Amino acid sequence: MARLERHPELPPPITEVGVLGWLRHNLFSSPANAALTLVALYVIYLTVPPLVDWALLKADWTGTTRADCKSGGACWAFVGVWFNQFIYRFYPVAEQWRVDLAFGLLVVLVVPLFVERFRWKGWLGAFIVVVYPAIAFYLFLGGAFGLTYVETSKWGGLMLTLIISAVGMVAALPLGIVLALGRRSTTMPVVRALCVVFIEFWRGVPLITVLFMSSVMLPLFLPEGVNFDKLLRALIGVTLFEAAYMAEVVRGGMQGIAKGQYEAADSLGLSFPKKMALVVLPQALKLVIPGIVNTFIALFKDTSLVLIIGLFDLLGAIQAAVKDAEWPQVVTEGYVFAAALFWIFCFAMSRYSQKLERRLGTGHKR
Amino acid sequence: MSTAQPASAGTAASGQAMIELRGVHKWYGQFHVLRDIDLTVQAGERIVICGPSGSGKSTMIRCINRLEEHQRGQIIVDGVELTSDVKHIEKVRSEVGMVFQHFNLFPHLTVLENCALAPMWVRRIPRKDAEAAAMKYLERVRIPEQAKKYPGQLSGGQQQRVAIARSLCMNPKVMLFDEPTSALDPEMIKEVLDVMVGLAETGMTMLCVTHEMGFAKTVANRVIFMDFGEIVEENEPHAFFTNPRHDRTKLFLSQILHH
């Protein structure tokens, strides 16, 4: 038997494509799945409308005192009144433009990194990591060239959260890479042992004890009169802590690189640093972008622990606000706002990491 | 199958052999993988090494560029002895190129960047010159149009040719081939072997571990048979294939020459 004419090209059945197709394959593909879909729809019906009602429809958006929130919905007026404190905490209002300038400058510097055709991304990146921190630090602290001095104990709110997270991320990644390389060393056993001890020590203690010890116990060990700035102690503690986690993430990435890559680099005559910088680390870091971003997101949220040493980051500011006598019973609004703000930042980091993976993935196909 | 040596290849220092292995032994733990290897390779010679798997052929050539360490004996490449001295190792590696069974191209770089990487960063040649030289070698292996592509977008035969070009960009004096066609589909083996034959005709010193006996007959000055970590037999190709002396050689040839 032989077919003489080609079968005509037909469109697929209506239940296979488009919206119906999607519904059928994703939500109703089997009896169990259909049942789960119905249960999920019911749960959504029970929870989402009341939430939307409380948070958006019945909420009070304007006002200056608690009495203005009469409707029984969320009292966002509270957030409006306290907003400045949430962002800057005790930073003098007259000097807040300096903080705005510093963050604005960062945004302006970072935007070209997202433009495809911009050719000096390497230089710009180096500038952002090396020179910008000095500029920003000067803007925050002041004390010279006409800017009044604002001591670090006055820094607080979202600004402080961002500062601690940014410093932690930028410092922990290179340190983590160095530790990972040290831990994998086969030719320098002393270096390897030191790296192992460092990593296992800092991973073994909770961040809260690190911060607590840096604030309370460190002064006992220092000679009289020598006093580290409290914020600096927190930054060092957070950096060392996160570097240990980052080291293990990077080491995992390096283990995922085929041995042949190392051998090819060796056979071309690349020395160890060049082999790592040009061949192994670009691939290893790309491989563990999910792990690195995970660590960064955790770091961003861990910064709230600085409350224990008397630094008031975003969460600290919100906690102080909900205890304010002028605003009774706004605890829910305060923490919902805190959660929403944290979620926005963490989600933004997560989305960016996915975009980064997609963009870098083009070169990585085997 | 000539033994003439064109002058365009790199030559060894003042009449010395290009590669010398003297009494080389190697162990993997308790396993004695290389047993008393003695081998001398002159500049411009093409040596094919064959043998059953596990015979130590790959290990032996990997010792020549120190991807493996030998525990006893001496290995001297172009007058430089391979010891644990890093300077010696780096000198030898910049003169010895290697082509791997699984290509080992750098997937995050384009073909052109793969080839230009080592000249730029090891020999400190400026980018423009390194890329121009890389394009010349890519033309020589007949894939200049792939220069801007990533290795993952190429076929196996193309990737292996890029790997050969990448090694050649460092202007080595010796090229080592570790089963270069074993991971390729049959229709791609010829294109890679053609490149290797072309390379042999320029007088490059080549050591090739392979099962492609046709290549050995065309190009090799000597064929070496290894088994259980030792060199069992070594001869020029015609004599080797028509008149093998040891029983082990005869057994091996009967196994591989029947398809």
Side-chain angles (χ1 to χ4, degrees):
Chain A
M1 175 240 157
R3 183 165 262 188
L4 293 173
E5 293 168 355
R6 295 185 66 172
H7 196 284
E9 182 163 348
L10 301 172
I14 192 168
T15 51
E16 292 293 314
V17 292
V19 176
L20 274 179
W22 187 90
L23 281 175
R24 187 160 162 265
H25 283 279
N26 289 299
L27 299 180
F28 297 101
S29 54
S30 72
N33 279 343
L36 283 173
T37 299
L38 292 173
V39 170
L41 284 173
Y42 182 61
V43 170
I44 291 174
Y45 164 71
L46 281 181
T47 57
V48 172
L51 185 65
V52 171
D53 198 47
W54 174 84
L56 298 174
L57 299 176
K58 284 206 291 189
D60 297 299
W61 297 90
T62 56
T64 49
T65 66
R66 184 67 176 98
D68 290 334
C69 290
K70 294 186 282 275
S71 63
C75 186
W76 298 125
F78 154 70
V79 171
V81 167
W82 271 86
F83 194 72
N84 188 280
Q85 288 260 326
F86 290 158
I87 308 292
Y88 304 100
R89 196 68 177 115
F90 295 125
Y91 206 89
V93 179
E95 308 292 329
Q96 282 173 3
W97 63 271
R98 286 155 50 179
V99 177
D100 298 335
L101 178 61
F103 282 108
L105 184 61
L106 182 65
V107 171
V108 165
L109 286 175
V110 164
V111 162
L113 291 180
F114 287 85
V115 173
E116 284 292 326
R117 288 213 239 134
F118 188 72
R119 274 187 298 160
W120 296 282
K121 287 188 187 170
W123 291 108
L124 185 58
F127 181 86
I128 291 176
V129 173
V130 177
V131 179
Y132 169 78
I135 300 176
F137 182 69
Y138 164 66
L139 279 172
F140 293 137
L141 196 63
F145 301 122
L147 291 180
T148 49
Y149 180 71
V150 180
E151 55 186 4
T152 59
S153 54
K154 289 220 172 79
W155 304 6
L158 180 61
M159 167 196 142
L160 185 65
T161 301
L162 290 175
I163 291 173
I164 298 178
S165 311
V167 170
M169 290 178 197
V170 167
L173 183 54
L175 183 55
I177 292 173
V178 168
L179 286 167
L181 290 172
R183 185 162 183 169
R184 277 177 58 99
S185 169
T186 46
T187 52
M188 294 185 285
V190 174
V191 168
R192 186 172 77 229
L194 284 174
C195 289
V196 171
V197 166
F198 181 99
I199 293 170
E200 296 305 333
F201 171 75
W202 289 100
R203 283 202 308 176
V205 294
L207 182 57
I208 202 166
T209 52
V210 170
L211 293 170
F212 189 68
M213 288 204 288
S214 78
S215 160
V216 168
M217 292 185 61
L218 193 63
L220 297 176
F221 291 109
L222 292 175
E224 284 289 323
V226 175
N227 199 13
F228 266 99
D229 179 78
K230 193 157 51 166
L231 177 59
L232 185 62
R233 277 184 256 149
L235 288 174
I236 293 176
V238 167
T239 298
L240 295 175
F241 180 82
E242 293 294 333
Y245 284 86
M246 195 60 76
E248 289 297 279
V249 171
V250 170
R251 192 170 69 90
M254 290 173 64
Q255 281 175 221
I257 303 301
K259 191 153 161 274
Q261 293 290 304
Y262 292 84
E263 292 182 348
D266 281 336
S267 70
L268 287 170
L270 290 168
S271 61
F272 181 85
K274 289 176 192 164
K275 171 172 66 174
M276 287 302 159
L278 298 168
V279 175
V280 178
L281 283 176
Q283 296 183 58
L285 292 177
K286 232 192 276 187
L287 200 60
V288 290
I289 286 176
I292 293 177
V293 173
N294 221 30
T295 308
F296 281 175
I297 290 176
L299 165 59
F300 184 77
K301 294 185 290 180
D302 281 345
T303 57
S304 303
L305 293 171
V306 296
L307 189 59
I308 198 104
I309 54 171
L311 290 170
F312 294 92
D313 79 315
L314 173 64
L315 198 61
I318 289 178
Q319 279 197 322
V322 302
K323 292 194 195 123
D324 184 10
E326 284 184 28
W327 289 91
Q329 293 170 342
V330 287
V331 177
T332 319
E333 284 85 343
Y335 286 114
V336 167
F337 178 69
L341 213 51
F342 271 105
W343 187 85
I344 289 172
F345 277 96
C346 295
F347 188 64
M349 282 193 262
S350 170
R351 294 299 297 176
Y352 177 68
S353 97
Q354 283 169 19
K355 178 168 179 290
L356 193 64
E357 276 189 85
R358 250 177 292 138
R359 193 160 59 87
L360 294 177
T362 50
H364 205 65
K365 298 195 195 77
R366 216 146 245 298
Chain B
M1 181 203 66
S2 77
T3 49
Q5 292 167 29
S8 55
T11 47
S14 61
Q16 271 176 311
M18 181 64 85
I19 301 177
E20 262 193 83
L21 276 72
R22 293 187 206 146
V24 171
H25 290 256
K26 178 172 171 61
W27 287 263
Y28 280 134
Q30 295 289 341
F31 177 53
H32 196 175
V33 60
L34 290 178
R35 304 181 193 198
D36 198 26
I37 302 285
D38 283 301
L39 179 65
T40 306
V41 180
Q42 304 293 340
E45 270 200 287
R46 284 93 63 185
I47 315 262
V48 165
I49 305 162
C50 61
S53 58
S55 54
K57 347 184 263 295
S58 291
T59 310
M60 183 177 80
I61 67 165
R62 283 157 64 92
C63 285
I64 295 175
N65 71 350
R66 200 70 174 184
L67 286 183
E68 306 281 354
E69 281 178 31
H70 58 286
Q71 277 90 35
R72 197 187 284 172
Q74 292 171 301
I75 299 182
I76 303 168
V77 178
D78 198 19
V80 178
E81 183 176 350
L82 271 179
T83 58
S84 42
D85 185 338
V86 174
K87 290 262 184 305
H88 286 191
I89 296 176
E90 289 187 356
K91 176 102 181 38
V92 167
R93 282 177 177 170
S94 62
E95 313 245 313
V96 174
M98 185 152 187
V99 176
F100 299 86
Q101 182 176 356
H102 295 288
F103 331 135
N104 292 337
L105 293 179
F106 305 135
H108 62 297
L109 299 175
T110 61
V111 161
L112 189 64
E113 287 166 351
N114 258 276
C115 294
L117 182 84
M120 270 169 52
W121 291 95
V122 179
R123 296 208 200 278
R124 300 178 209 278
I125 296 173
R127 175 184 288 270
K128 280 210 171 28
D129 301 335
E131 289 188 348
M135 281 307 294
K136 267 193 17 241
Y137 284 110
L138 286 175
E139 276 160 17
R140 219 166 108 183
V141 300
R142 287 176 244 143
I143 41 170
E145 70 281 359
Q146 311 287 355
K148 297 289 182 184
K149 290 207 183 154
Y150 286 92
Q153 299 167 294
L154 304 180
S155 71
Q158 291 171 323
Q159 288 187 51
Q160 193 61 300
R161 286 187 279 155
V162 172
I164 295 175
R166 179 177 68 173
S167 296
L168 291 176
C169 283
M170 285 293 279
N171 296 316
K173 294 190 177 150
V174 177
M175 283 286 278
L176 303 174
F177 293 85
D178 189 359
E179 307 213 29
T181 56
S182 296
L184 295 176
D185 291 335
E187 61 267 21
M188 294 192 243
I189 293 180
K190 180 178 188 307
E191 66 194 46
V192 173
L193 288 180
D194 286 344
V195 167
M196 289 166 66
V197 168
L199 192 58
E201 285 166 4
T202 66
M204 174 70 75
T205 312
M206 291 165 66
L207 267 82
C208 193
V209 174
T210 184
H211 299 294
E212 296 291 325
M213 293 301 131
F215 175 76
K217 288 178 190 164
T218 317
V219 138
N221 298 118
R222 271 188 282 162
V223 179
I224 292 176
F225 173 68
M226 281 182 74
D227 196 9
F228 292 114
E230 359 172 50
I231 294 181
V232 172
E233 188 164 335
E234 136 176 26
N235 212 336
E236 52 93 20
H238 183 75
F240 182 87
F241 288 113
T242 55
N243 200 9
R245 283 182 293 218
H246 287 252
D247 288 339
R248 285 192 270 171
T249 319
K250 291 179 192 165
L251 178 63
F252 177 72
L253 286 176
S254 71
Q255 285 167 337
I256 67 162
L257 287 178
H258 276 164
H259 58 282

